[in-house]
């Protein structure tokens, strides 16, 4: 029996039998036992099978070697391969292949591969977290801009309320009691005050909501950056371009959260809360934008309606003032005519009464003149001169009293018209000053131009 290629072969014995059969059988048993030991210890395997170059190659080589041994075992005689005849103490359990000499290098390479894969997964998670934090920051910036618009709009509403208050106080300085009664302009000012107050309450509520949402976004961004910093603790040895997995693998990895994986349940929860905060912020921004455009439109409509009402009131007052001027002139002219008539009636009444002293009477005016005395000589002959003079004097006296009463009423009416004229003129000046103050105090620059354009587009769309 010789060794060839580390495998045992049976050499045929000679034809001459010298020793006893037991001696020969003992030798055969020793040969079979040695062959079995060689196969069990895999001492007959080639060097290429016992020293693989890598871990994956060792598995392939082990499969090849096992296949080669199975083929050799099938080729060998049945008497040499059978182990059933051996005692149980001589039968051994097959062992694993002998580890190669580069086992430590292979284990180190496998560890580096596992660590590198984990680092790349962590890099994907970190990039996703930082991108989400960037989106949250951008949303916070846009929401902060809307919050600034809300504050400007509230400042404008506060200024409009102050203008409304000053307008109401200014209209109370109208001169007469008849001019201080509530009219349509006062009702418009009260309506504007209610509208502006309601808008202020609504915008203040929206401002509180925007501030709380900003705090939530800031908190979410801080948590995202904190988790990203925690993920970055294992990325010191990974180059910046070490992640080539893409966003799809990161999104797929977020579906399976594990406490010992790159995506922990807390990290997944923070991402979900940040996504919810982003959606809420977008909805809140849209709502705030709608409220701002509506508030600007309502504020302009109230301001315009009040100004139009005041202008109409001024026009009405000016029309009444013109009518009062004409009526006052006509009344004054009638009073002057009545005064001339009264003077004439007084003169006629004085002439009808005659002189105050009898010495001032003329001879033709005396009732004891010679013609009258001669005419009275016959009975029943009385002249109507005295009765007519008495009746004429009484009629003139009544006319004088009536004309003097009419003149007094005309003078009083003229005085009343003059007073009303002054009141209307003063009321028109007060209302004009209020309108001028309202137009000067309303600063259109307090509202951003973009919001004014949106409000104008909304009004145009509503009109169409």
């Amino acid at each position: 029996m010789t060794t060839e290629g580390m495998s045992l072969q049976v050499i045929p014995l000679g034809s001459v039998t010298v020793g006893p059969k037991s001696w020969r059988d003992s030798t055969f048993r020793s040969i079979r036992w040695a062959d079995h030991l060689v196969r069990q210890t895999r001492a007959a395997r080639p060097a290429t099978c016992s020293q693989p170059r890598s871990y994956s190659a060792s598995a392939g080589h082990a499969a090849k070697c096992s296949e080669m041994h199975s083929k050799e075992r099938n080729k060998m005689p049945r008497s040499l391969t059978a182990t059933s005849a051996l005692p149980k103490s001589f039968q051994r359990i097959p062992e694993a292949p002998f580890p190669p000499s580069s086992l430590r290098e292979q284990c180190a390479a496998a560890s580096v591969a596992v660590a590198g894969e984990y680092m790349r997964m962590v890099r994907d998670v970190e990039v996703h977290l930082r991108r989400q934090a960037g989106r949250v920051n951008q949303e916070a910036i846009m929401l902060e801009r809307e919050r600034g618009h809300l504050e400007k709009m509230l400042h404008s509403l506060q200024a409009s309320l102050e203008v409304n208050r000053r307008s109401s106080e200014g209209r109370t300085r109208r001169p007469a009691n008849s001019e201080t009664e509530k009219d349509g302009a006062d009702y418009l000012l009260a309506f504007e005050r209610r509208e502006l107050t309601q808008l202020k309450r609504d915008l203040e509520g929206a401002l509180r909501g925007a501030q709380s949402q900003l705090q939530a976004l800031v908190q979410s961004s801080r948590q995202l950056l904190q988790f990203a910093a925690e993920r970055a603790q294992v990325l010191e040895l990974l180059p910046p371009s070490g992640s080539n997995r893409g966003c799809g693998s990161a999104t797929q990895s977020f579906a399976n959260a594990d406490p010992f994986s790159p995506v922990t349940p807390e990290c997944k929860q923070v991402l979900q809360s940040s996504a919810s905060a982003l959606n809420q912020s977008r909805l809140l921004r849209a709502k705030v934008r709608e409220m701002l455009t509506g508030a600007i439109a309502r504020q302009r409509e109230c301001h315009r309606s009040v100004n139009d009402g005041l202008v109409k009131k001024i026009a009405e007052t000016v029309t009444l003032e013109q009518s009062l001027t004409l009526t006052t002139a006509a009344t004054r002219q009638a009073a002057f005519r009545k005064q001339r008539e009264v003077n004439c009636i007084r003169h006629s009444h004085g002439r009808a009464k005659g002189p105050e002293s009898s010495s001032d009477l003329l001879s033709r005016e005396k009732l004891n003149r010679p013609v009258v005395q001669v005419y009275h000589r016959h009975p029943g002959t009385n002249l109507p001169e005295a009765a007519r003079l008495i009746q004429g004097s009484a009629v003139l006296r009544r006319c004088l009293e009536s004309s003097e009463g009419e003149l007094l009423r005309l003078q009083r009416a003229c005085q009343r018209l003059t007073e009303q004229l002054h009141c209307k003129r003063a009321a028109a000046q007060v209302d004009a000053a209020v309108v001028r103050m309202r137009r000067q105090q309303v600063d259109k620059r307090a509202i951003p131009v973009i919001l004014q354009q949106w409000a104008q587009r909304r009004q145009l769309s509503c009109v169409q």
Side-chain angles (χ1 to χ4, degrees):
M1 188 170 59
T2 63
T3 58
E4 181 180 356
M6 296 303 291
S7 63
L8 299 177
Q9 295 182 1
V10 180
I11 301 174
L13 299 176
S15 59
V16 180
T17 301
V18 178
K21 184 179 180 180
S22 60
W23 176 75
R24 185 180 57 187
D25 292 339
S26 176
T27 302
F28 276 127
R29 283 195 299 271
S30 298
I31 290 172
R32 284 197 301 270
W33 171 241
D35 183 51
H36 177 68
L37 287 178
V38 167
R39 292 182 185 282
Q40 272 196 342
T41 56
R42 291 175 176 81
R45 296 181 64 183
T48 56
C49 296
S50 61
Q51 295 182 1
R53 286 175 294 180
S54 63
Y55 181 77
S56 60
S58 64
H61 282 291
K64 272 185 194 178
C65 294
S66 62
E67 185 179 357
M68 289 171 59
H69 282 291
S70 63
K71 289 181 180 180
E72 291 177 358
R73 190 178 297 110
N74 292 333
K75 291 181 182 179
M76 293 200 59
R78 200 177 177 93
S79 60
L80 294 179
T81 57
T83 59
S84 59
L86 294 175
K88 291 185 178 181
S89 61
F90 295 138
Q91 296 180 4
R92 298 179 60 186
I93 301 173
E95 297 179 358
F98 189 81
S101 60
S102 60
L103 177 62
R104 295 177 61 85
E105 288 78 3
Q106 292 176 8
C107 292
S111 299
V112 169
V114 171
E117 181 68 16
Y118 181 80
M119 288 182 182
R120 285 190 290 271
M121 293 174 64
V122 171
R123 170 59 59 82
D124 293 336
V125 175
E126 185 214 6
V127 169
H128 190 76
L129 287 171
R130 293 193 182 276
R131 286 178 181 173
Q132 186 73 4
R135 286 192 287 268
V136 171
N137 289 333
Q138 290 294 328
E139 184 65 27
I141 291 173
M142 290 187 286
L143 188 60
E144 178 67 25
R145 188 181 300 115
E146 295 299 330
R147 189 181 69 85
H149 291 167
L150 277 174
E151 290 180 350
K152 290 182 179 179
M153 190 63 199
L154 283 172
H155 180 72
S156 176
L157 288 176
Q158 189 66 33
S160 298
L161 284 171
E162 181 65 22
V163 169
N164 180 274
R165 185 186 64 81
R166 293 175 60 183
S167 300
S168 299
E169 290 180 357
R171 296 202 81 228
T172 57
R173 291 193 292 269
R174 288 173 293 178
N177 294 328
S178 61
E179 296 295 330
T180 56
E181 296 179 357
K182 288 187 177 298
D183 53 6
D186 293 324
Y187 293 127
L188 286 174
L189 284 171
F191 173 75
E192 183 189 27
R193 188 182 309 109
R194 288 194 301 269
E195 285 289 317
L196 293 177
T197 305
Q198 184 64 33
L199 286 176
K200 183 181 177 183
R201 291 199 195 98
D202 296 341
L203 292 183
E204 284 177 350
L207 181 61
R208 288 192 294 269
Q211 289 176 349
S212 61
Q213 188 63 33
L214 272 174
Q215 293 177 0
L217 289 174
V218 170
Q219 181 67 19
S220 178
S221 176
R222 187 182 300 113
Q223 290 178 354
L224 288 170
L225 293 177
Q226 181 180 359
F227 276 96
E230 290 180 358
R231 300 296 94 189
Q233 290 178 359
V234 296
L235 301 178
E236 294 180 357
L237 300 179
L238 190 68
S241 61
S243 177
N244 295 322
R245 297 170 59 88
C247 298
S249 60
T251 307
Q252 185 178 3
S253 63
F254 287 128
N256 300 323
D258 186 71
F260 301 102
S261 66
V263 183
T264 60
E266 294 82 4
C267 182
K268 184 178 179 181
Q269 183 180 1
V270 168
L271 285 170
Q272 291 176 353
S273 64
S274 65
S276 176
L278 281 175
N279 293 331
Q280 292 179 1
S281 178
R282 292 190 184 99
L283 293 176
L284 181 61
R285 280 197 301 111
K287 181 180 177 182
V288 167
R289 185 64 54 83
E290 188 70 18
M291 290 181 65
L292 284 173
T293 53
I296 292 173
R298 290 172 63 182
Q299 182 188 15
R300 286 183 175 179
E301 185 65 24
C302 293
H303 186 76
R304 185 184 60 80
S305 62
V306 172
N307 286 351
D308 293 345
L310 287 173
V311 169
K312 289 180 181 179
K313 180 66 176 178
I314 293 172
E316 180 183 359
T317 305
V318 169
T319 303
L320 292 175
E321 180 185 353
Q322 293 174 355
S323 300
L324 284 172
T325 302
L326 294 175
T327 306
T328 302
T331 305
R332 187 181 296 110
Q333 187 177 7
F336 289 157
R337 288 197 301 269
K338 183 59 68 174
Q339 182 67 43
R340 288 194 296 270
E341 182 180 356
V342 167
N343 293 335
C344 292
I345 292 174
R346 284 176 181 174
H347 180 72
S348 299
H349 184 259
R351 291 297 298 267
K353 288 171 63 177
E356 296 179 356
S357 176
S358 59
S359 60
D360 295 332
L361 286 175
L362 298 177
S363 297
R364 64 176 181 271
E365 294 177 349
K366 294 181 179 180
L367 295 177
N368 55 0
R369 59 186 181 272
V371 175
V372 175
Q373 290 180 357
V374 172
Y375 182 73
H376 284 170
R377 287 177 182 176
H378 291 269
T381 53
N382 294 323
L383 292 173
E385 183 178 358
R388 288 182 180 178
L389 287 175
I390 294 171
Q391 291 177 357
S393 178
V395 170
L396 287 176
R397 186 173 61 253
R398 289 196 297 271
C399 289
L400 180 61
E401 292 175 356
S402 176
S403 297
E404 287 179 350
E406 291 177 357
L407 177 61
L408 183 60
R409 288 193 293 273
L410 284 174
Q411 290 176 349
R412 289 177 179 176
C414 184
Q415 184 179 2
R416 187 181 303 110
L417 289 174
T418 304
E419 292 176 356
Q420 290 184 0
L421 177 63
H422 291 311
C423 291
K424 296 296 181 184
R425 186 176 293 118
Q429 291 176 357
V430 169
D431 290 339
V434 169
V435 172
R436 188 163 51 251
M437 182 270 297
R438 289 177 62 84
R439 291 176 177 174
Q440 290 176 354
Q441 294 297 324
V442 175
D443 189 5
K444 296 182 179 180
R445 294 173 298 178
I447 304 175
V449 180
I450 184 68
L451 296 179
Q452 296 180 14
Q453 294 176 356
W454 286 337
Q456 291 176 359
R457 292 174 185 173
R458 181 178 178 179
Q459 288 181 351
L460 290 176
S461 62
C462 292
V463 170
Q464 293 176 355

